[in-house]
Amino acid sequence: MAQANVNGTPLEYVEVGEGEPLVFVHGSASDYRTWHLQQEAFAERFRVIVYSRRYHWPNGPVPDGADYSMAEHVADLRAFLHACGAVPAHVVGHSYGAFVGLLLAQQAPHLVRTLVLAEPPTITLFVSDPPRPLELLALLASRPRTAASIIKLGALGLGPATAAARRDDLEGMMRLTGTAVLGRSAYAGLSEDRREQVRANLIPAELLGSGFPPLSPDSLRATRTPTLLLNGQSSPRAFHHLTDRLEELLPRTEREQIPEASHIMHEDNAPAYNAAVRSFIEGCSHAA
């Protein structure tokens, strides 16, 4: 492994292959190991870089009292690309990491050649984080299915998981979050190795911190980076509704559904995921 000094903290990463830089940004309860089925597959054509975000294994833990801030993770990705000489990069993000990549493309579009977003939790396009009751009522009136799916995700999963985080009940936090974002059967089917990766990256401060920043429709309409939106066929419906809205707003998008896959689609069905991402990036490169 290699190490980059980014905004005052060392971040561990792995680099393989040559060509245009392709940087993978993992989601919650994960680290660079989540991309093991992508590294060699993409190294045939690209300079592949997979890194562990701040506070994720094997990097240092979050200090007591520190915020787990998405703004900090965006700043880290920006500095990391410069530190690795990977500008501009194809940025491939999953979940929380996809939200990070989207914000970077808005703030520094010159750094992002193309963008792949696999189910970013962009609930702040609709409501605050955490949602206010009046916001949910308004959303129920305008987009009832979206509202119902967000309420279900919060009431049955993320809300109880946050309560478990306050109690420092890490096993409860893992079970509740995993069931909410993967679905019951997908969570039950996780291998023991994958569960150990989750345990190594359970960070209560993520649920107890400053949460997701607000997103505005206008900011998305102004995002010109070519973007591929991905959903897992079996992912909870909230992610499909959130992606619907991103597809409505982002001006340069393609969209694919990964069959036989839930939220961690790059692990569940790597051949289909890799084919979709590679086709999109190579298509953008040929069009340039």
Side-chain angles (χ1 to χ4, degrees):
M1 290 192 70
Q3 192 177 86
N5 188 7
V6 173
N7 295 326
T9 192
L11 298 183
E12 301 282 345
Y13 70 97
V14 173
E15 179 178 329
V16 291
E18 297 180 353
E20 296 174 352
L22 174 60
V23 177
F24 289 86
V25 190
H26 66 78
S28 303
S30 300
D31 54 55
Y32 78 93
R33 293 174 293 177
T34 191
W35 302 113
H36 70 283
L37 296 173
Q38 282 69 53
Q39 285 178 225
E40 296 302 328
F42 284 92
E44 299 171 358
R45 163 70 175 77
F46 300 97
R47 177 190 171 201
V48 175
I49 303 171
V50 297
Y51 77 106
S52 286
R53 293 190 285 107
R54 180 183 294 257
Y55 308 137
H56 289 257
W57 188 92
N59 300 321
V62 58
D64 289 342
D67 186 19
Y68 188 100
S69 161
M70 184 169 283
E72 190 168 45
H73 288 283
V74 175
D76 282 351
L77 176 56
R78 183 173 188 159
F80 180 77
L81 295 179
H82 284 293
C84 293
V87 174
H90 302 285
V91 175
V92 178
H94 171 249
S95 195
Y96 191 105
F99 206 145
V100 170
L102 174 60
L103 292 177
L104 180 68
Q106 292 181 340
Q107 297 171 15
H110 61 286
L111 301 183
V112 184
R113 192 187 301 264
T114 63
L115 189 60
V116 177
L117 304 179
E119 299 186 340
T122 51
I123 62 168
T124 51
L125 264 175
F126 299 102
V127 293
S128 304
D129 182 24
R132 302 184 182 96
L134 289 179
E135 292 174 332
L136 291 172
L137 287 173
L139 187 59
L140 278 168
S142 62
R143 292 176 178 260
R145 288 186 296 176
T146 299
S149 68
I150 289 174
I151 291 169
K152 179 179 178 181
L153 185 67
L156 300 182
L158 299 184
T162 301
R166 291 194 183 97
R167 300 191 303 269
D168 205 30
D169 174 11
L170 297 186
E171 286 296 315
M173 175 182 160
M174 180 173 82
R175 174 178 51 81
L176 290 161
T177 304
T179 301
V181 302
L182 300 181
R184 191 173 302 279
S185 62
Y187 175 70
L190 288 178
S191 69
E192 189 53 40
D193 283 347
R194 189 58 176 90
R195 288 174 185 268
E196 284 306 310
Q197 186 182 150
V198 172
R199 290 187 180 98
N201 293 284
L202 282 175
I203 305 172
E206 181 176 358
L207 290 178
L208 302 176
S210 53
F212 300 131
L215 279 174
S216 74
D218 287 345
S219 70
L220 290 171
R221 293 187 185 102
T223 303
R224 307 296 303 177
T225 305
T227 302
L228 174 63
L229 301 173
L230 295 174
N231 284 112
Q233 182 182 28
S234 303
S235 294
R237 296 311 303 173
F239 291 115
H240 291 261
H241 293 308
L242 295 176
T243 305
D244 289 344
R245 185 61 172 150
L246 290 174
E247 186 178 23
E248 290 172 7
L249 294 170
L250 289 166
R252 301 180 65 187
T253 60
E254 297 181 24
R255 185 172 180 180
E256 295 284 348
Q257 180 168 274
I258 306 303
E260 301 177 15
S262 184
H263 185 56
I264 48 173
M265 62 199 79
H266 58 287
E267 298 183 25
D268 291 342
N269 190 346
Y273 173 91
N274 293 351
V277 173
R278 183 160 185 163
S279 175
F280 168 73
I281 295 175
E282 291 183 347
C284 290
S285 296
H286 293 324

